[in-house]
Amino acid sequence: MYPEDLKYTAEHEWVRSPGQGEGTVRVGITAFAQDALGDIVYASLPAVGDTVAAGDACGELESTKSVSEIYAPVAGEVTAVNTALDATPEVVNSDPYGEGWLFELAPGDPDAVAGLLDAATYSAGLSG
Amino acid sequence: MATQDSPELLTSPLHQRHVALGAKLAEFGGWSMPLEYATGVVKEHTAVRQAAGLFDVSHLGKASVRGPGAAAYVDATLTADLSRIAPGQAQYTLCCDEDGGVVDDLIAYLRADDDVLLVPNAANTAEVVRRLAAAAPEGVVVRDEHRDHVVLAVQGPAADAVLDGAGLPTGHDYMSFVDTDVDGTSVVVCRTGYTGERGYELVAPVSVAEALWDRLVAAGEPHGLVPAGLGARDTLRTEMGYPLHGQDISRDITPVQARLGWAVGWRKPAFWGRDALTAEKAAGPARVLRGLRAVRRGIPRAGMTVTDADGGAAGVVTSGTFSPTLKAGVALALLDARVAEGDEVAVDVRGRAEPFTVVRPPFVEPSVR
């Protein structure tokens, strides 16, 4: 449910390092988050080139029943967004760690990702 | 998010069935009911539009009005003209306050001149029963039977096939009902619903609830029937523009404003709220419930403010959602009377002014008949 090779945030996002692009990390939401949101019908993502600080609200995921903000897990510059979600936002539900990724960013501090939660700490927080 | 059982909430007699199906539960009018099953709102919604869905709506109230003159008493208090239907037929009607505000909207099932079954909303049942009981003439008895019956809805183009397969009667007229025998007990099968699809609502004693549910699930399996939660029920009814009490109609929003004049027997000599509603109708309502359809990707939600083309205040969203059928945001909004169909307005979606067109609901063509 929570892959060991990812880092996590308390806002139920995962970070994969490295991302597809050089010097980037990939960001998405966890299985817990997609289940809690329900069917996602619209993803409003940040723009490529946006500079974000850690914890910044930089987008929204809207489900049939509610809306949830997307936060930048670490500071950096947005280098790519998953444009496929415009037509098929439901892949965030069906494949949250794969095709349902949200965006990639180039962290200002390459070590920032190491300070995020590991899978065990994140999943322990869910049951607490 | 209410995924846990809360001890203070009432649960349906079918609660264990829902838990076994992995339902996410949420509070509806004091009841813990399925919001969605593991399939999710969109698939449940689509199943109802294309095949069939099975809803447990046992949180809906059930109240009987019995005794000599029971139907005449209901006719003299609730808004709709009960003399327009015959025994065996049902009618959408409103319980209004004397100021015209809506205490509840409900379905009245006319069984006989001395026997009417009312199905109010969960949260309003006690108040409707209290008002009707307090004013009832000698010999007319109003009884709250909220927990005596379950209500199951089978909705969708395959609804007839599902009920046929379950050995239940089908094919009677829209808004009519028949009594049938299930395991030796009487079940009411009504051609009613809240989805815009052809379908049935079954009022059954709690004693046969699980057997009836299981029978419908089994009969529905070859027809694509899925259990559907109240999340899908809300997106389905919003696509139809059906009002929800507490949002689109309320003690503060009259049937004249909500364009429910068709559910008011204007020629009747008496019903609760008659003077206030007649005056408001004659003067013209200051605000009107209308439909909004997104021009872009905005998804409206209840409580969001609506502005006109010049940025002036124009009203408020009372119900809003993403329409799974249209793949666009749709809303019901209470707007100043000057706002007309075809106008462009903006909805404040968390600080963004999203463009919407004012339209006449339904947003999706109904297939109830």
Side-chain angles (χ1 to χ4, degrees), chain B residues 114-126:
Chain B
D114 59 358
D115 190 358
V116 182
L117 169 69
L118 300 178
V119 177
N121 284 291
N124 301 326
T125 302

Side-chain angles (χ1 to χ4, degrees), chain B residues 337-351:
Chain B
R338 64 186 162 80
V339 180
E341 276 167 29
D343 285 4
E344 289 278 324
V345 295
V347 174
D348 181 345
V349 180
R350 296 176 297 281

